[in-house]
Amino acid sequence: MNHPHRTDAAPVDETAPGALAELRARLNAELGGAARAWLDLALDEAAAHPGTHGPISAWELRIAEAGRRCGPEYADAARVLLLHAARADPDALARVYRQGTAAERRAVLRALPHLVPGPDALPLVEDALRTNDTRLVAAAVGPYAARHLDAHNWRHAVLKCLFTGVPVDEVAELPRRARADTELARMLAAYADERTAAGRPVPEDLRRVLTLTEPTATPNGTSGSPGRPGTSGTSGKES
């Protein structure tokens, strides 16, 4: 059953100050008593014993059981908090991602903005973008990708969302990165032409991103100039 405050959708701004505290407060308010007690214990344990201890750390076992303990609708948020409490470094994140289920991989991707300040974890984002798992793709185009993916790979990530039906609202900082990007506009127009030639509808999200590529596009996604989006006024960003 859908909950009005589902935390697996990560509705908070994942890079805002206090985002993790907000996530923790939300879980404390919505989890049942047993689940809340388990999470408190698991977070304390992860904070007390971070890093790697033996073949597998206790906090990694908690990552695996979060779905059963907290319920699938809260598991993503619980896993993000656990990864942060354990101060997981890029190697640990790669191990959890590589060995984890799709749900555990999604949590790793959502934890990246909190744990990896540089581009070291980009291979995980790139791996997720090669899949056809729409929830992994949605997690991969979050704040970490907005911050670190180069222009070429970011454009293809946007196209991947359109190909797989992931709403472009999932793409973090889309207006900022799309603005005045004539190469992205060219790619989107070519894709739209292909769909039209095949008698298939052009997704509304594609039209929306095209509008964002205009040089006069504003941060809220509106355009200040008429004409076909993305075809005038700039030489575009480098590939």
Side-chain angles (χ1 to χ4, degrees), residues 11 16 18-19 25 41 43 61 75 77 80 83 86 92 100 122 145 175 183 194 197 204 208 210 220-222:
L41 182 62
L43 291 172
L61 296 175
V80 169
L83 288 165
L122 275 178
E183 176 59 17
E194 288 175 11
E204 187 56 38
R208 177 181 167 198
L210 265 175
N220 65 3
T222 61

Side-chain angles (χ1 to χ4, degrees), residues 61-76:
L61 296 175
R62 304 297 173 255
I63 292 282
E65 64 180 292
R68 177 168 57 86
R69 295 286 192 167
C70 297
E73 67 268 39
Y74 302 113
D76 270 16

Side-chain angles (χ1 to χ4, degrees), residues 131-226:
T131 75
N132 288 317
D133 184 325
T134 55
R135 298 188 74 184
L136 273 181
V137 172
V141 293
Y144 187 80
R147 192 181 302 160
H148 296 295
L149 266 185
D150 62 34
H152 174 79
N153 286 310
W154 184 82
R155 291 175 188 129
H156 283 277
V158 173
L159 266 292
K160 180 77 176 206
C161 289
L162 295 171
F163 293 156
T164 58
V166 171
V168 295
D169 283 338
E170 300 287 351
V171 182
E173 299 186 41
L174 177 62
R176 177 184 69 81
R177 292 210 56 170
R179 185 176 183 272
D181 190 339
T182 53
E183 176 59 17
L184 177 61
R186 183 197 65 77
M187 294 166 67
L188 292 168
Y191 179 46
D193 289 345
E194 288 175 11
R195 291 187 65 91
T196 300
R200 303 176 67 188
V202 176
E204 187 56 38
D205 268 359
L206 188 151
R207 301 181 191 278
R208 177 181 167 198
V209 181
L210 265 175
T211 299
L212 291 174
T213 63
E214 290 197 31
T216 54
T218 60
N220 65 3
T222 61
S223 172
S225 67

Side-chain angles (χ1 to χ4, degrees), residues 37-158:
W38 175 87
L39 181 61
D40 289 343
L41 182 62
L43 291 172
D44 289 345
E45 183 181 59
H49 303 286
T52 303
H53 302 277
I56 187 167
S57 300
W59 62 265
E60 293 181 59
L61 296 175
R62 304 297 173 255
I63 292 282
E65 64 180 292
R68 177 168 57 86
R69 295 286 192 167
C70 297
E73 67 268 39
Y74 302 113
D76 270 16
R79 289 173 176 135
V80 169
L81 292 172
L82 282 164
L83 288 165
H84 187 265
R87 302 189 289 281
D89 62 17
D91 288 341
L93 291 165
R95 183 175 65 251
V96 173
Y97 181 92
R98 195 167 53 245
Q99 298 174 357
T101 64
E104 290 159 23
R105 291 182 176 194
R106 189 170 62 246
V108 168
L109 294 167
R110 286 186 169 157
L112 294 181
H114 306 294
L115 293 169
V116 187
D120 298 0
L122 275 178
L124 306 184
V125 172
E126 292 163 353
D127 180 84
L129 290 171
R130 286 192 291 269
T131 75
N132 288 317
D133 184 325
T134 55
R135 298 188 74 184
L136 273 181
V137 172
V141 293
Y144 187 80
R147 192 181 302 160
H148 296 295
L149 266 185
D150 62 34
H152 174 79
N153 286 310
W154 184 82
R155 291 175 188 129
H156 283 277
V158 173

